[in-house]
Amino acid sequence: MSVIFSGIQPSGNLTLGNYLGALRNFSKVQEGNECYYCVVNQHAITVPQDPKLLHERTRALAAIYIASGLDPEQSTLFVQSEVPEHAMLGWIMTTLSYVGELERMTQYKDKASKRGDSIPAGLLTYPPLMAADILLYQTNFVPVGDDQKQHLEITRDLAQRFNRLYGDVFTIPEIYLGQDGTRVMSLQEPTKKMSKSDDNTTATIYLLDTPKDIEKKIKRAQTDSENSVHYDREKKPGISNLIEILSAVTDQTHEQVEQAYAGKGYGAFKKDVADAVIAVLEPIQQRYEELLKHPDLDDILDKGSAKAHAKASETYEKAVHAMGLYRK
Ligand code: ATP
Ligand code: LTN
């Protein structure tokens, strides 16, 4: 049995990228493992958030977790800010981090470049908080999209640094990318990743988009003029992205998709991609609506916090004792 930990920020409406790159793998690995899935609201506040929206999105994300297949009996679902050890160990990890290594993170560089002269310090210290999330649970595997590789590397470095200085306290975690490490790209600029914070909403399929919107967005997705469904990330990024999406939602290889559409044009292909995406998202949307209204959701999160807290505090105590950060 392995310990699995992952988190998503309640910082916007979830996308098909979040689902195929992360969420879907969460439920695939839950059986037979000890899993913790967290709504990382303290990471979300590394950029300004509207308080009311942040509150709503926190609950909504927990409902999406369950709607997309997480079973609260098998997995511990909780909200980061309800387990204070995350921020507490986050501070310790910050003290072990070097400014230079934090400044090299591509996510930091991307997000900081959009903030002019007022770069929140939390954007820089985001990785040590993420390391704390993972290390508190003695995690073996972290299912995330491949854009998080760098953050996983620094988490491993911090764990090793701590263990070298103060003795073996933390398990060294590994990234879990799933079978193909799907990275869903923007429908409008297919060399960029599909992102929930993209201003151009036609570039992004949201998990809660209506079937009509999904159809429209896929129909308008950028392709090329060849009219041949053929996988080539470099030369045909738009079509390759759609092939990847169809492969992922129908559990086929790229080759199988290419074969099925040999001699067919983009019109028919796009229609099938849209239908396949809708077929995966509709049941998730139905369950989500039911859950959001149900009082069980808060019970699940209350129990999740208590369970997560029990494990997190055990690790935290070990860490502060190893460091001499205690009195009695
Ligand atoms: P933002 O775009 O606002 O920075 P995000 O969409 O990247 O946010 P996160 O909360 O940072 O969302 O990521 C949640 C999880 O979804 C992570 O594991 C991340 O790797 C994964 N993920 C996000 N976008 C994609 C994508 N386009 N393809 C595959 N996985 C993705
Ligand atoms: N940085 C992650 C979100 C995140 C996370 C974590 C993922 C915060 N803490 C711990 C896995 C484990 C992202 O997806 N942007």
Side-chain angles (χ1 to χ4, degrees), residues 54 104 118 132 143:
L54 179 63
R104 280 196 294 277
S118 313

Side-chain angles (χ1 to χ4, degrees), residues 6-23 26 40 61 107 111 114 126 143-149 177 181-186 192-198:
S6 197
I8 299 184
Q9 308 178 61
S11 55
N13 297 323
L14 289 206
T15 72
L16 185 65
N18 296 133
Y19 178 70
L20 294 176
L23 262 176
F26 294 1
V40 289
L61 178 52
Q107 183 174 301
K111 297 203 170 174
K114 293 179 191 141
Y126 180 115
V144 277
D146 78 343
D147 60 304
Q148 294 298 310
K149 268 186 190 155
L177 289 172
T182 314
R183 182 186 281 216
V184 182
M185 309 307 272
S186 153
K192 256 180 47 186
K193 89 166 186 169
M194 183 180 282
S195 161
K196 56 172 130 82
S197 46
D198 199 324

Side-chain angles (χ1 to χ4, degrees), residues 9 46-47 101-120 123-124 126-127 146-148 150-151 183 185 191-195 197-199:
Q9 308 178 61
T46 53
V47 294
E101 67 188 346
L102 298 179
E103 281 174 342
R104 280 196 294 277
M105 295 291 117
T106 50
Q107 183 174 301
Y108 168 71
K109 287 194 271 190
D110 283 355
K111 297 203 170 174
S113 68
K114 293 179 191 141
R115 304 256 144 213
D117 287 337
S118 313
I119 301 167
L123 273 184
L124 184 68
Y126 180 115
D146 78 343
D147 60 304
Q148 294 298 310
Q150 237 190 351
H151 286 161
R183 182 186 281 216
M185 309 307 272
T191 50
K192 256 180 47 186
K193 89 166 186 169
M194 183 180 282
S195 161
S197 46
D198 199 324
D199 295 332

Side-chain angles (χ1 to χ4, degrees), residues 94-281:
T94 302
T95 66
L96 288 179
S97 307
Y98 303 123
V99 172
E101 67 188 346
L102 298 179
E103 281 174 342
R104 280 196 294 277
M105 295 291 117
T106 50
Q107 183 174 301
Y108 168 71
K109 287 194 271 190
D110 283 355
K111 297 203 170 174
S113 68
K114 293 179 191 141
R115 304 256 144 213
D117 287 337
S118 313
I119 301 167
L123 273 184
L124 184 68
T125 58
Y126 180 115
L129 178 60
M130 176 160 164
D133 297 342
I134 296 168
L135 300 177
L136 279 172
Y137 300 90
Q138 306 291 13
T139 301
N140 302 107
F141 296 102
V142 184
V144 277
D146 78 343
D147 60 304
Q148 294 298 310
K149 268 186 190 155
Q150 237 190 351
H151 286 161
L152 250 292
E153 273 311 309
I154 198 169
T155 298
R156 289 165 59 87
D157 289 346
L158 288 170
Q160 277 157 350
R161 209 171 285 164
F162 185 102
N163 287 354
R164 219 180 313 114
L165 286 168
Y166 306 115
D168 260 341
V169 170
F170 298 117
T171 303
I172 312 299
E174 280 174 47
I175 191 166
Y176 174 83
L177 289 172
Q179 288 122 333
D180 50 4
T182 314
R183 182 186 281 216
V184 182
M185 309 307 272
S186 153
L187 296 180
Q188 292 303 321
E189 289 172 80
T191 50
K192 256 180 47 186
K193 89 166 186 169
M194 183 180 282
S195 161
K196 56 172 130 82
S197 46
D198 199 324
D199 295 332
N200 181 357
T201 54
T202 57
T204 305
I205 296 175
Y206 298 100
L207 288 194
L208 301 177
D209 268 349
T210 62
K212 236 180 161 169
D213 281 340
I214 295 172
E215 220 168 89
K216 236 194 292 178
K217 288 179 185 182
I218 293 182
K219 210 167 168 185
R220 291 193 193 148
Q222 289 296 322
T223 54
D224 50 68
S225 53
E226 266 181 20
N227 214 26
S228 142
V229 180
H230 171 62
Y231 191 87
D232 184 337
R233 269 273 180 214
E234 299 258 301
K235 295 198 191 103
K236 294 164 73 71
I239 279 295
S240 302
N241 187 34
L242 294 179
I243 293 178
E244 195 134 314
I245 291 173
L246 186 59
S247 310
V249 294
T250 55
D251 277 323
Q252 296 182 78
T253 61
H254 301 160
E255 292 75 21
Q256 284 170 321
V257 172
E258 279 177 333
Q259 272 166 22
Y261 291 91
K264 292 188 189 155
Y266 289 169
F269 173 60
K270 281 180 161 178
K271 169 91 180 60
D272 289 355
V273 176
D275 286 347
V277 169
I278 292 165
V280 168
L281 297 190

